[in-house]
Amino acid sequence: MIKRIGLLTSGGDSPGMNACIRAVVRTALYHQIEVVGFLRGYDGLIDNQFCILNHKEVSGIINKGGTILKTARSERFRTTEGLKQAVTTIQQHALDGMIVIGGDGSFRGAIELAKHSDIAVLGCAGTIDNDLVGTDFTIGYDTAINTAVDAIDKIRDTAESHDRVFIIEMMGRDAGLIALRSAIAGGAEALLIPELNNDLGDLIEKIKGWRHNKGSRIIVVSEGDEVGGAYKLAETIKPYCAGLDVKVSILGHIQRGGAPTCMERVNASIVGYHAVLELMSGKRGCMVGIINRQVALTPFENAVKHIERIDPVLEKLIKVLSH
Ligand code: ATP
C-alpha cells in the first residue's frame, strides 16, 4: 500500500516540469496518497526542506516554465554523508515511494538512493536535452526546440538583410538533439553536433561553394561539438567567407524558459500520471517514458546510457536539405 510519496525536481530546469508535478500530485490525491514535495532537488532531501502538496499548490502552474519545487545540482548528494542524510529524511517522513523528475544525472542519484534505502523510486525524464534512452521525448525538449526555431527565424531576418553568416550556438554539452531538430525546422545551411563526425574541412568546402547571391547563411552548432564553440568556429571559417561578416549568437538559457508547448504539457501529464500508477502497482527503479505513444518503463541503469547515434533519417534529411 502506497500512502505517502516524495517528489522532487533535480538538475537543470525544463519547461513542463510543473505540468508533471501537477499530474503527480492530482493523481496521487485522487488515490488518497499524500505528496511531500522536496525543494531544490536532492539538497531539499538532505536538508529536509519540504512542503505538502495539495490541489491548491498545483493549481495555475500547468502553463508555467521552470519548477515550483525549484531545482539544484547537489554536490553534497554525491557524498556518503549527504546520501545518508537524504535516506534519514525519507525515513522521517515514512515515505513509501519517491518520484524524481530530472535528467540522467538525477537518475544516477536515484539509483544511489534506491541502493541505500528500501524506498521504491521512479523517474520522469525532465531535461531539455532529450538524451535519455527509453523515451521519445523528454519533458522540456519540445518547448526548447520551438524556442530555438523561433530564434533561428528571427536571426535569419537580420542575416539576410545584411548578407551575414550567422553561427547559432545551441545548448547540449553531450547531446546535439536540440541543434539537430531546430536546424532542420529552421532551414539551417549547416549543422555541427557531437553525434555527427562533421569534418571541419567539409564545412569549409561547403562555405566556399555557397552561391554568391545566397539569401542567408545560418550554421547551427551544438555547444558540445568538438569544434569548441561558436566563437572559435567563427574565427576558423572567417577566412573562407569571402569578406562576409560572420556573427555569433549564443542562445543560452532562453532555451530553458518559457511556457511549455501543448505537446509538452500533455506528455508531462501522461508520465506524471503513470508514475503514480506504476508506484501503486509495485514498480521501482525505472524511468517512465513514452515510446511510440505507449507508456514504457526503462530501468534507470539503461535510461542513463547516452544516445550515441541520431536517427539516420534525420541525419540524411539535414544533409540533403541543407545542400
Ligand atoms: P540536465 O540534463 O538538465 O543536466 P541532470 O539530471 O542530468 O539534468 P545533473 O547535474 O547531471 O543534471 O545531475 C543532477 C544531480 O543528480 C546532481 O547535482 C547530483 O546531485 C545528482 N547526481 C548526479 N550524478 C550522480 C551520481 N553518480 N551519484 C549520486 N548523485 C548524482
Side-chain angles (χ1 to χ4, degrees):
M1 271 290 281
I2 301 269
K3 286 193 171 310
R4 188 175 301 114
I5 62 171
L7 175 65
L8 59 83
T9 49
S10 165
D13 65 304
S14 62
M17 279 182 162
N18 281 329
C20 189
I21 291 169
R22 173 180 178 272
V24 167
V25 171
R26 296 227 161 146
T27 308
L29 295 177
Y30 184 85
H31 293 96
Q32 285 83 47
I33 296 170
E34 199 181 337
V35 185
V36 183
F38 292 94
L39 304 177
R40 298 180 182 82
Y42 291 120
D43 275 345
L45 213 47
I46 294 169
D47 299 329
N48 196 17
Q49 286 201 331
F50 69 96
C51 56
I52 301 299
L53 296 170
N54 282 307
H55 273 94
K56 186 167 72 68
E57 280 71 32
V58 297
S59 68
I61 67 167
I62 195 167
N63 56 331
K64 302 249 172 23
T67 157
I68 59 159
L69 289 177
K70 299 190 176 281
T71 186
R73 301 190 195 271
S74 169
E75 282 313 309
R76 285 186 294 152
F77 187 71
R78 294 174 187 267
T79 65
T80 313
E81 190 47 44
L83 185 57
K84 212 168 117 194
Q85 197 53 51
V87 172
T88 304
T89 304
I90 286 171
Q91 288 161 350
Q92 279 171 359
H93 286 276
L95 299 178
D96 305 305
M98 184 84 204
I99 295 175
V100 172
I101 306 171
D104 60 329
S106 302
F107 293 166
R108 285 197 182 90
I111 293 169
E112 293 304 312
L113 201 57
K115 221 189 273 174
H116 292 87
S117 66
D118 58 1
I119 193 161
V121 190
L122 287 182
C124 298
T127 168
I128 60 170
D129 294 336
N130 205 34
D131 57 348
L132 288 156
V133 174
T135 192
D136 291 339
F137 291 96
T138 58
I139 299 166
Y141 179 61
D142 189 61
T143 309
I145 53 180
N146 277 290
T147 300
V149 171
D150 184 50
I152 294 175
D153 289 348
K154 287 176 173 148
I155 289 169
R156 188 181 293 285
D157 289 345
T158 179
E160 284 184 2
S161 303
H162 284 271
D163 287 324
R164 282 175 175 156
V165 176
F166 255 93
I167 300 174
I168 307 177
E169 185 181 298
M170 308 277 179
M171 273 188 168
R173 278 169 301 173
D174 307 305
L177 299 179
I178 297 178
L180 171 68
R181 276 192 191 252
S182 56
I184 292 171
E189 277 70 30
L191 170 73
L192 290 100
I193 55 175
E195 294 88 342
L196 291 178
N197 291 326
N198 299 92
D199 186 333
L200 196 58
D202 284 352
L203 176 65
I204 290 167
E205 282 311 307
K206 189 174 202 177
I207 292 170
K208 285 191 207 159
W210 275 345
R211 294 177 300 281
H212 196 64
N213 60 350
K214 184 157 178 43
S216 61
R217 303 157 179 95
I218 303 262
I219 300 167
V220 170
V221 60
S222 179
E223 65 177 327
D225 190 78
E226 62 275 9
V227 293
Y231 284 108
K232 197 164 169 208
L233 181 62
E235 288 310 313
T236 310
I237 65 168
K238 244 178 213 167
Y240 306 97
C241 290
L244 293 173
D245 228 3
V246 180
K247 294 284 182 195
V248 166
S249 181
I250 297 183
L251 297 193
H253 286 81
I254 66 160
Q255 290 159 99
R256 287 199 179 279
T261 61
C262 171
M263 167 108 121
E264 204 84 84
R265 298 179 201 191
V266 173
N267 284 345
S269 299
I270 291 171
V271 293
Y273 165 79
H274 277 279
V276 175
L277 297 192
E278 298 295 352
L279 267 184
M280 290 170 66
S281 73
K283 302 288 187 339
R284 48 169 60 213
C286 290
M287 178 191 82
V288 183
I290 303 174
I291 302 175
N292 291 332
R293 298 193 197 164
Q294 301 294 316
V295 172
L297 294 189
T298 305
F300 283 135
E301 286 80 0
N302 294 344
V304 299
K305 287 182 188 149
H306 264 270
I307 298 170
E308 301 289 345
R309 279 213 62 202
I310 58 165
D311 182 343
V313 175
L314 296 185
E315 182 177 346
K316 189 83 184 163
L317 200 60
I318 186 75
K319 191 171 175 198
V320 173
L321 301 190
S322 67
H323 185 252

